[in-house]
Amino acid sequence: NVEFNKLGLVVTDEQHRFGVRQRSIINSKGQNPDILVMSATPIPRTLALILYGDLDISIIDELPPNRKKIDTFAVTKGMEARVNNFIKQQLDEGRQCYIVCPLVEESEEIDAKSVLELFEKYKEIFSGYKVEYLHGKLRPKEKDEIMERFKSGEIQILISTTVIEVGVDVPNSNIMIIENAERFGLATLHQLRGRVGRGKYQSYCVLKYQGNSEIIRQRMKVISSTN
């Protein structure tokens, strides 16, 4: 319900987070204002707007200074011990790690890893390290507290749902493990991977997937071979 005097420019950052109606309401607050929509994620709706929405397209194709390309690997369950050893090696060098999974708690209907289940498991495997969890059902104050402790380096492994998909910036965290990667869309995998590689350290994204279908393998290959 804000009324503008002369709205001339509307910039929508992370535009894929807004509904179509939300964007049109904001745009209608001016007399045909100039509009700049920004997104790091090539989701179908954004691409459709470019094709049919009379938008010009600008591509920022370079990374900020000192950023390195993120190495992405798709692995199956047999590689778990190797992945865990690799995490330990990075933690011992002073880095931090995100572990993302699709569910908050265990479900009988869905065969997928949950935050609470993995928290118990990783607490044992990484008993010498500080492991914590985060999900959307926590109170905002609790979420902020945990993120602050992760930012300050007090927490070394953060197990989370996709609540960390946008706006989280911890340059020291250089490993992203995505459990049940086959359950996430390519746009979401791309967004999640963008949480690492934000500092001067070489960063890694490991996609752990189940299932042997051709489509799963193709999707894992696409995300591993593109950046």
Side-chain angles (χ1 to χ4, degrees):
N1 53 8
V2 175
E3 286 187 23
F4 294 90
N5 176 25
K6 270 191 189 156
L7 182 64
L9 173 65
V10 176
V11 181
T12 312
D13 191 18
E14 301 285 5
Q15 73 96 27
H16 57 280
R17 302 294 266 188
F18 293 85
V20 174
R21 195 178 300 144
Q22 271 179 315
R23 287 203 305 265
S24 77
I25 288 170
I26 295 170
N27 299 345
S28 67
K29 288 178 178 290
Q31 297 287 316
N32 199 15
D34 290 319
I35 294 166
L36 176 64
V37 293
M38 298 165 71
S39 174
T41 308
I43 59 167
R45 192 172 75 199
T46 311
L47 300 176
L49 278 169
I50 292 160
L51 292 172
Y52 305 114
D54 195 28
L55 288 181
D56 291 325
I57 179 169
S58 305
I59 296 175
I60 303 172
D61 62 359
E62 69 248 20
L63 292 168
N66 302 324
R67 295 263 182 106
K68 296 181 171 72
K69 183 175 167 285
I70 301 165
D71 288 341
T72 306
F73 306 96
V75 303
T76 51
K77 195 165 174 47
M79 298 283 279
E80 196 154 72
R82 275 181 71 178
V83 171
N84 290 343
N85 285 336
F86 182 66
I87 295 172
K88 281 181 180 164
Q89 189 189 324
Q90 293 295 316
L91 296 182
D92 291 341
E93 287 178 18
R95 305 290 75 76
Q96 290 160 281
C97 171
Y98 296 104
I99 294 168
V100 178
C101 47
L103 302 175
V104 173
E105 46 209 23
E106 280 183 79
S107 155
E108 286 178 8
E109 288 84 60
I110 303 169
D111 178 22
K113 300 282 194 303
S114 75
V115 168
L116 301 175
E117 179 191 357
L118 282 175
F119 176 61
E120 294 305 327
K121 176 180 158 183
Y122 277 101
K123 240 179 13 182
E124 275 181 38
I125 298 172
F126 294 92
S127 55
Y129 305 88
K130 184 70 183 138
V131 183
E132 198 49 88
Y133 68 87
L134 185 70
H135 55 69
K137 289 185 180 178
L138 295 175
R139 290 201 301 276
K141 189 169 176 263
E142 286 179 293
K143 282 195 276 198
D144 292 345
E145 232 165 62
I146 289 166
M147 271 324 300
E148 278 311 310
R149 285 169 56 214
F150 188 65
K151 262 188 178 158
S152 70
E154 186 194 323
I155 295 169
Q156 291 163 293
I157 298 177
L158 185 63
I159 299 170
S160 172
T161 55
T162 54
V163 290
I164 59 157
E165 189 181 14
V166 166
V168 174
D169 186 17
V170 182
N172 187 51
S173 185
N174 73 329
I175 304 187
M176 163 71 64
I177 309 287
I178 302 177
E179 299 272 354
N180 293 109
E182 76 283 352
R183 291 193 159 269
F184 296 100
L186 289 174
T188 301
L189 291 173
H190 177 73
Q191 277 287 95
L192 287 168
R193 175 170 62 182
R195 298 308 98 210
V196 294
R198 305 180 81 82
K200 59 187 179 198
Y201 309 106
Q202 177 59 53
S203 290
Y204 308 91
C205 177
V206 179
L207 308 166
K208 290 163 93 170
Y209 69 96
Q210 293 175 349
N212 212 10
S213 79
E214 182 56 29
I215 189 91
I216 290 176
R217 284 205 302 271
Q218 277 180 354
R219 291 170 72 248
M220 294 302 119
K221 190 175 169 194
V222 164
I223 195 89
S224 306
S225 61
T226 58
N227 217 25

